[in-house]
Amino acid sequence: MPHLALYTFGTLKSPLADPAPLTREFYDIGEAVYRTIGQHPGYLAHAETADAGPGSHFEADWGAWGEFAVPAWYGKGRTAETTALAASLSLWTGLRPAFDAVYTGVHREALNRRHDWFERSEHPNHVFWWVPGDVIPTWQDGVSRLEHLHGHGSAPHAFTFRHSFAPDGTPTRIKDIGPKSDLVR
């Protein structure tokens, strides 16, 4: 049975190592978000490393998830002191569980505050694609899918909640997922 891969990416206004209150707040809420999402029905796994601290994305060992990678448009630092990004790579059983996890609870609260922490961008901040049930997507897979989405729009290869596809490549519309429902105010 196929799984749904989700890659998210955003450029922060300040490095993760910045001791300012907003940066600490973002980092602290991120830990709560991961704990909550990890217990959500339909969640399967996400890329993580046991030895990574704030900002050490590029130096960390991500195991089967591969070497950490970022989109070509990321132009900030790549050291623990200068990294100013938030990225995630996860696996889900389907669109509905991912949608419910992203747009409810503590993650929804964080999304409502995203403009406090993240730079505004014309680039997409998330991308989905289907993988065979025995495949672990890599960071590079996520980056290439996000860049493809940016350059070509939603397609079975790389899509969004708003313009989604079933595992067989046909367009799909799940109840309450669409142009109006997934706008976060």
Side-chain angles (χ1 to χ4, degrees):
M1 171 169 241
H3 292 151
L4 185 68
L6 168 60
Y7 173 73
T8 66
F9 182 84
T11 302
L12 294 165
K13 290 180 177 179
S14 61
L16 286 166
D18 184 343
L22 269 180
T23 305
R24 276 194 315 267
E25 181 181 281
F26 170 78
Y27 190 74
D28 290 345
I29 201 167
E31 291 178 9
V33 166
Y34 272 117
R35 273 193 312 275
T36 302
I37 284 182
Q39 298 169 2
H40 201 279
Y43 164 85
L44 297 171
H46 74 271
E48 62 182 326
T49 176
D51 60 351
S56 63
H57 298 72
F58 294 94
E59 297 87 22
D61 177 1
W62 294 93
W65 302 88
E67 184 177 336
F68 188 76
V70 294
W73 59 79
Y74 174 72
K76 291 197 173 183
R78 293 174 183 258
T79 67
E81 295 77 30
T82 61
T83 297
L85 63 84
S88 68
L89 180 58
S90 56
L91 283 170
W92 296 85
T93 58
L95 279 165
R96 175 90 255 168
F99 181 86
D100 290 345
V102 168
Y103 291 112
T104 61
V106 68
H107 192 271
R108 172 66 183 246
E109 292 169 22
L111 281 177
N112 288 339
R113 303 248 353 256
R114 71 191 180 283
H115 297 301
D116 293 342
W117 304 312
F118 290 93
E119 294 180 355
R120 292 180 187 257
S121 174
E122 296 300 317
H123 300 99
N125 61 13
H126 76 279
V127 64
F128 288 107
W129 70 100
W130 292 100
V131 297
D134 61 345
V135 169
I136 304 252
T138 66
W139 289 106
Q140 186 56 55
D141 294 335
V143 167
S144 66
R145 303 286 176 139
L146 191 69
E147 290 174 342
H148 185 274
L149 176 67
H150 177 67
H152 305 284
S154 279
H157 178 75
F159 56 91
T160 64
F161 278 124
R162 196 178 307 205
H163 300 103
S164 54
F165 292 83
D168 67 2
T170 59
T172 188
R173 189 174 241 347
I174 297 176
K175 185 179 181 204
D176 300 326
I177 296 179
K180 294 185 191 299
S181 68
D182 64 349
L183 296 178
V184 180
R185 298 189 188 336

